[in-house]
Coordinates of all heavy atoms in Angstrom, one line a residue:
D46 N -0.5 -21.6 -39.9 CA 0.5 -22.0 -39.0 C 0.6 -21.0 -37.8 O 1.6 -20.8 -37.2 CB 1.9 -22.1 -39.7 CG 2.9 -23.0 -38.8 OD1 2.4 -23.8 -38.0 OD2 4.1 -22.8 -39.0
A47 N -0.5 -20.4 -37.5 CA -0.6 -19.7 -36.2 C -1.3 -20.6 -35.3 O -2.5 -20.8 -35.4 CB -1.4 -18.4 -36.4
I48 N -0.5 -21.3 -34.5 CA -1.0 -22.4 -33.7 C -0.5 -22.4 -32.3 O 0.5 -21.8 -32.0 CB -0.7 -23.8 -34.3 CG1 0.9 -23.9 -34.4 CG2 -1.3 -23.9 -35.7 CD1 1.3 -25.3 -34.8
W49 N -1.1 -23.2 -31.4 CA -0.6 -23.5 -30.1 C 0.5 -24.5 -30.2 O 0.3 -25.5 -31.0 CB -1.7 -24.0 -29.1 CG -1.1 -24.3 -27.8 CD1 -0.8 -23.5 -26.8 CD2 -0.8 -25.6 -27.3 NE1 -0.3 -24.2 -25.7 CE2 -0.3 -25.5 -26.0 CE3 -0.9 -26.9 -27.8 CZ2 0.1 -26.6 -25.2 CZ3 -0.5 -28.0 -27.0 CH2 0.0 -27.8 -25.7
D50 N 1.6 -24.4 -29.5 CA 2.8 -25.3 -29.6 C 3.1 -25.7 -28.2 O 3.7 -24.9 -27.4 CB 3.9 -24.6 -30.3 CG 5.1 -25.6 -30.5 OD1 5.2 -26.6 -29.9 OD2 6.0 -25.2 -31.3
G52 N 5.5 -27.7 -27.3 CA 6.9 -27.9 -27.1 C 7.7 -26.6 -27.0 O 8.9 -26.7 -26.6
A53 N 7.1 -25.5 -27.3 CA 7.8 -24.2 -27.1 C 7.2 -23.5 -25.9 O 6.1 -23.9 -25.5 CB 7.6 -23.4 -28.4
G54 N 7.8 -22.5 -25.5 CA 7.3 -21.7 -24.4 C 8.3 -21.4 -23.3 O 9.4 -21.9 -23.3
A59 N 3.1 -22.3 -25.8 CA 3.2 -21.0 -26.5 C 2.4 -21.0 -27.7 O 1.8 -22.0 -28.1 CB 4.7 -20.7 -26.8
V60 N 2.2 -19.8 -28.3 CA 1.5 -19.6 -29.6 C 2.6 -19.3 -30.6 O 3.4 -18.4 -30.4 CB 0.5 -18.5 -29.5 CG1 0.0 -18.1 -30.9 CG2 -0.8 -19.1 -28.8
R61 N 2.6 -20.0 -31.7 CA 3.5 -19.8 -32.9 C 2.8 -18.8 -33.9 O 1.7 -19.1 -34.3 CB 3.9 -21.1 -33.6 CG 4.8 -20.8 -34.8 CD 5.0 -22.1 -35.5 NE 5.3 -23.2 -34.7 CZ 5.0 -24.5 -34.9 NH1 4.3 -24.8 -36.0 NH2 5.3 -25.5 -34.1
L62 N 3.4 -17.7 -34.2 CA 3.0 -16.8 -35.2 C 3.8 -17.0 -36.5 O 4.9 -16.4 -36.6 CB 3.0 -15.4 -34.7 CG 2.2 -15.1 -33.4 CD1 2.4 -13.6 -33.0 CD2 0.7 -15.3 -33.7
N63 N 3.3 -17.8 -37.3 CA 4.1 -18.2 -38.6 C 3.1 -18.2 -39.7 O 2.0 -18.5 -39.6 CB 4.8 -19.5 -38.4 CG 5.7 -19.8 -39.5 OD1 6.3 -19.0 -40.2 ND2 5.9 -21.1 -39.8
S64 N 3.6 -17.8 -40.9 CA 2.8 -17.7 -42.1 C 3.7 -18.0 -43.3 O 4.7 -18.7 -43.1 CB 2.0 -16.4 -42.2 OG 0.9 -16.6 -43.1
P72 N 0.5 -13.3 -39.6 CA 0.0 -14.2 -38.6 C -0.2 -13.4 -37.3 O 0.6 -12.7 -36.9 CB 1.1 -15.2 -38.5 CG 2.3 -14.6 -38.9 CD 1.9 -13.5 -40.0
V93 N 8.7 -13.0 -26.1 CA 8.7 -13.3 -27.6 C 10.1 -14.0 -27.9 O 11.1 -13.7 -27.3 CB 8.8 -11.9 -28.3 CG1 8.8 -12.2 -29.8 CG2 7.5 -11.1 -28.0
Q94 N 10.0 -15.0 -28.8 CA 11.2 -15.8 -29.2 C 11.1 -16.0 -30.7 O 10.0 -16.4 -31.2 CB 11.2 -17.1 -28.4 CG 12.4 -18.0 -28.8 CD 12.3 -19.4 -28.3 OE1 11.2 -20.0 -28.4 NE2 13.4 -20.0 -27.8
L95 N 12.2 -15.9 -31.3 CA 12.3 -16.2 -32.8 C 11.9 -17.7 -33.0 O 12.4 -18.6 -32.3 CB 13.7 -16.0 -33.3 CG 14.0 -16.4 -34.7 CD1 13.3 -15.4 -35.6 CD2 15.5 -16.4 -35.0
F96 N 11.0 -17.9 -34.0 CA 10.7 -19.3 -34.4 C 11.5 -19.6 -35.6 O 12.1 -20.6 -35.8 CB 9.2 -19.4 -34.6 CG 8.8 -20.8 -35.3 CD1 8.9 -21.9 -34.5 CD2 8.4 -20.8 -36.6 CE1 8.6 -23.2 -35.1 CE2 8.1 -22.1 -37.2 CZ 8.2 -23.2 -36.4
A97 N 11.4 -18.7 -36.7 CA 12.1 -18.9 -37.9 C 12.3 -17.6 -38.6 O 11.5 -16.7 -38.6 CB 11.4 -19.8 -38.8
D98 N 13.5 -17.4 -39.2 CA 13.9 -16.2 -40.0 C 14.1 -16.7 -41.4 O 15.2 -17.1 -41.7 CB 15.1 -15.5 -39.4 CG 15.4 -14.2 -40.2 OD1 14.7 -13.9 -41.2 OD2 16.5 -13.6 -39.9
S99 N 13.1 -16.6 -42.2 CA 13.2 -17.0 -43.6 C 13.5 -15.8 -44.5 O 13.6 -15.9 -45.7 CB 11.9 -17.6 -44.1 OG 11.7 -18.8 -43.3
S107 N 9.8 -6.8 -37.4 CA 9.1 -7.9 -37.9 C 8.0 -8.4 -36.9 O 7.2 -9.3 -37.3 CB 10.0 -9.0 -38.3 OG 10.8 -9.4 -37.3
F108 N 8.0 -7.9 -35.7 CA 7.1 -8.3 -34.7 C 6.4 -7.0 -34.1 O 7.1 -6.0 -33.9 CB 7.8 -9.0 -33.5 CG 6.8 -9.3 -32.3 CD1 6.0 -10.3 -32.4 CD2 6.8 -8.4 -31.2 CE1 5.1 -10.6 -31.3 CE2 5.9 -8.7 -30.2 CZ 5.1 -9.7 -30.2
F125 N 13.7 -9.8 -33.0 CA 14.6 -10.6 -32.3 C 15.1 -11.7 -33.1 O 14.3 -12.6 -33.5 CB 13.9 -11.1 -31.0 CG 13.2 -10.0 -30.2 CD1 11.8 -9.8 -30.3 CD2 14.0 -9.2 -29.4 CE1 11.3 -8.8 -29.6 CE2 13.4 -8.2 -28.6 CZ 12.0 -8.0 -28.8
L126 N 16.4 -11.7 -33.5 CA 16.9 -12.7 -34.4 C 17.8 -13.7 -33.7 O 18.5 -14.4 -34.4 CB 17.6 -12.0 -35.5 CG 16.7 -11.0 -36.4 CD1 17.6 -10.3 -37.5 CD2 15.6 -11.8 -37.0
D127 N 17.7 -13.8 -32.4 CA 18.4 -14.9 -31.7 C 17.4 -15.9 -31.1 O 16.2 -15.7 -31.3 CB 19.3 -14.3 -30.6 CG 18.5 -13.5 -29.5 OD1 17.3 -13.8 -29.4 OD2 19.1 -12.7 -28.9
N128 N 17.8 -16.9 -30.4 CA 16.9 -17.9 -29.9 C 16.5 -17.7 -28.5 O 15.9 -18.5 -27.9 CB 17.6 -19.3 -30.0 CG 17.6 -19.7 -31.5 OD1 16.7 -19.5 -32.2 ND2 18.7 -20.4 -31.9
N129 N 16.9 -16.5 -27.9 CA 16.5 -16.2 -26.5 C 15.0 -15.7 -26.4 O 14.5 -15.2 -27.4 CB 17.4 -15.1 -26.0 CG 18.9 -15.6 -25.9 OD1 19.1 -16.7 -25.6 ND2 19.7 -14.7 -26.3
W130 N 14.5 -15.8 -25.2 CA 13.2 -15.2 -25.0 C 13.4 -13.8 -24.6 O 14.3 -13.5 -23.8 CB 12.5 -16.0 -23.8 CG 11.8 -17.2 -24.3 CD1 12.4 -18.5 -24.3 CD2 10.6 -17.4 -24.9 NE1 11.6 -19.4 -24.8 CE2 10.4 -18.7 -25.2 CE3 9.6 -16.5 -25.3 CZ2 9.3 -19.3 -25.8 CZ3 8.4 -17.0 -25.9 CH2 8.3 -18.4 -26.2
H131 N 12.6 -12.9 -25.1 CA 12.7 -11.4 -24.8 C 11.3 -11.0 -24.3 O 10.3 -11.3 -24.9 CB 13.0 -10.6 -26.1 CG 14.3 -11.1 -26.7 ND1 15.5 -10.5 -26.3 CD2 14.6 -12.0 -27.6 CE1 16.5 -11.1 -27.0 NE2 16.0 -12.0 -27.8
A150 N 3.4 -11.2 -36.3 CA 4.7 -11.4 -36.9 C 4.7 -11.3 -38.4 O 3.6 -11.0 -39.0 CB 5.1 -12.9 -36.5
E151 N 5.9 -11.4 -39.0 CA 6.0 -11.3 -40.4 C 5.4 -10.0 -41.0 O 4.7 -10.0 -42.0 CB 5.4 -12.5 -41.1 CG 6.0 -13.8 -40.7 CD 5.6 -15.0 -41.5 OE1 4.9 -14.8 -42.6 OE2 5.9 -16.1 -41.1
D165 N 9.5 -12.2 -43.4 CA 9.1 -13.6 -43.2 C 9.9 -14.1 -41.9 O 10.7 -15.1 -42.0 CB 9.5 -14.5 -44.4 CG 8.7 -15.8 -44.4 OD1 7.9 -16.0 -43.4 OD2 9.0 -16.7 -45.2
V166 N 9.7 -13.4 -40.8 CA 10.3 -13.7 -39.5 C 9.2 -14.1 -38.6 O 8.3 -13.2 -38.3 CB 11.1 -12.5 -39.0 CG1 11.8 -12.9 -37.7 CG2 12.1 -12.0 -40.0
A167 N 9.1 -15.3 -38.2 CA 8.1 -15.9 -37.4 C 8.5 -15.9 -35.9 O 9.7 -16.1 -35.6 CB 7.7 -17.2 -37.9
Y168 N 7.5 -15.9 -35.0 CA 7.8 -15.8 -33.5 C 6.9 -16.8 -32.7 O 5.8 -17.1 -33.2 CB 7.7 -14.4 -33.0 CG 8.7 -13.5 -33.5 CD1 8.4 -12.6 -34.6 CD2 9.9 -13.3 -33.0 CE1 9.3 -11.8 -35.2 CE2 10.9 -12.4 -33.5 CZ 10.6 -11.7 -34.5 OH 11.5 -10.8 -35.1
N169 N 7.4 -17.1 -31.6 CA 6.6 -17.7 -30.5 C 6.3 -16.6 -29.5 O 7.1 -15.8 -29.2 CB 7.3 -18.9 -29.8 CG 7.6 -20.0 -30.7 OD1 6.7 -20.5 -31.4 ND2 8.8 -20.5 -30.6
I170 N 5.1 -16.6 -28.9 CA 4.7 -15.7 -27.9 C 4.2 -16.5 -26.7 O 3.7 -17.6 -26.8 CB 3.7 -14.6 -28.3 CG1 2.4 -15.3 -28.6 CG2 4.2 -13.8 -29.4 CD1 1.2 -14.3 -28.8

Side-chain angles (χ1 to χ4, degrees):
D46 200 24
I48 61 170
W49 177 78
D50 183 347
V60 164
R61 179 186 314 146
L62 300 176
N63 188 28
S64 197
V93 182
Q94 179 194 43
L95 177 69
F96 173 72
D98 178 5
S99 299
S107 56
F108 174 81
F125 307 101
L126 299 178
D127 59 23
N128 289 320
N129 298 319
W130 282 94
H131 301 270
E151 301 187 12
D165 196 4
V166 182
Y168 293 95
N169 294 313
I170 63 168

